[in-house]
Amino acid sequence: MFRSVVLALLVASASAFAPLPVSRRAAAPTITMNSVQDMPGIQAPIGFFDPVGYSTTVSPEAMLWFRAAELKHSRVAMLAFVGWCVNGAGWHFPGQLSSSVKFEDLAGLAPRDAWEACPEEGKLQIIGFIGVLETVTELIKPHYTKAGKSASPPMIKPRKGYFNPAILEGAELLTAQNKELSNGRLAMIGMMGFSAATIWKGSVPILP
């Protein structure tokens, strides 16, 4: 049952987030090199990085899809990295996760083993919540691939602080976006390292 639900959600998510077709016709609109280089995230020490030339072959909508995908993966990776470290340190909520499983029981396990030990109903709730977020994001108008010159997808409005309703603009906004992308990219690399160390013992020397 659980595997069937997971498979159905993955199929639905994949169809909803499939990138727009790559346009290779000369007459088709494409993002110019200058406009791509104006996007947030292009910073030292690497700078502009497009070794296979995606920016010269895809449509503006597809380029916005790639950016939205990078942001989404970055945020998930940052949450996963922190969660992995918290679990590895043995920190946990008090009380019961379910009638038969304590949070303390999961804190003593490796992250992948802790997921396996979660009740099936809990896994379904987590995956179902993710599915709801994906659906809501896709239904917001204008769609994030139609955002044009907007600095962020429509549902994201960077603010100056947790309790400050003022929206970031200009140089402050660009600095915040660059920081988020840098941290997200580092978190994705970190999660690849954690995953490799878990699956292939000894593949990452500094990790047990």
Side-chain angles (χ1 to χ4, degrees):
M1 172 63 180
F2 175 70
R3 292 182 178 179
S4 299
V5 174
V6 172
L7 179 61
L9 286 170
L10 288 175
V11 171
S13 178
S15 61
F17 287 88
L20 297 175
V22 174
S23 176
R24 298 186 180 278
R25 295 179 300 174
T30 59
I31 288 184
T32 65
M33 190 67 70
N34 288 337
S35 63
V36 172
Q37 292 189 1
D38 290 337
M39 295 177 73
I42 301 174
Q43 52 193 316
I46 296 177
F48 181 71
F49 183 76
D50 184 19
V52 296
Y54 275 127
S55 61
T56 62
T57 59
V58 299
S59 67
E61 290 81 6
M63 203 68 206
L64 288 171
W65 182 90
F66 283 123
R67 170 41 52 88
E70 181 183 24
L71 276 171
K72 184 175 297 184
H73 283 85
S74 294
R75 291 164 180 166
V76 170
M78 286 188 282
L79 289 172
F81 188 90
V82 173
W84 196 290
C85 292
V86 168
N87 178 271
W91 299 335
H92 58 83
F93 290 112
Q96 300 277 139
L97 176 61
S98 69
S99 59
S100 59
V101 180
K102 296 180 180 179
F103 285 107
E104 184 180 3
D105 298 334
L106 301 182
L109 302 174
R112 292 181 64 200
D113 295 332
W115 170 256
E116 291 296 329
C118 283
E120 187 170 300
E121 294 80 3
K123 295 178 182 178
L124 290 175
Q125 291 179 47
I126 294 171
I127 295 173
F129 180 68
I130 294 172
V132 170
L133 292 179
E134 298 280 13
T135 302
V136 170
T137 303
E138 288 296 307
L139 294 177
I140 291 177
K141 303 298 181 183
H143 193 265
Y144 55 82
T145 60
K146 305 293 184 182
K149 295 182 179 180
S150 295
S152 304
M155 70 180 298
I156 301 170
K157 296 180 179 179
R159 302 182 185 277
K160 292 188 177 182
Y162 291 110
F163 305 104
N164 189 339
I167 304 299
L168 288 175
E169 296 180 351
E172 287 183 314
L173 175 60
L174 179 60
T175 298
Q177 289 174 316
N178 285 337
K179 287 180 179 179
E180 180 182 27
L181 287 165
S182 294
N183 290 325
R185 290 162 180 169
L186 185 60
M188 286 189 281
I189 295 173
M191 283 309 301
M192 286 189 285
F194 279 157
S195 300
T198 302
I199 298 172
W200 298 287
K201 298 297 182 183
S203 60
V204 183
I206 63 173
L207 295 177

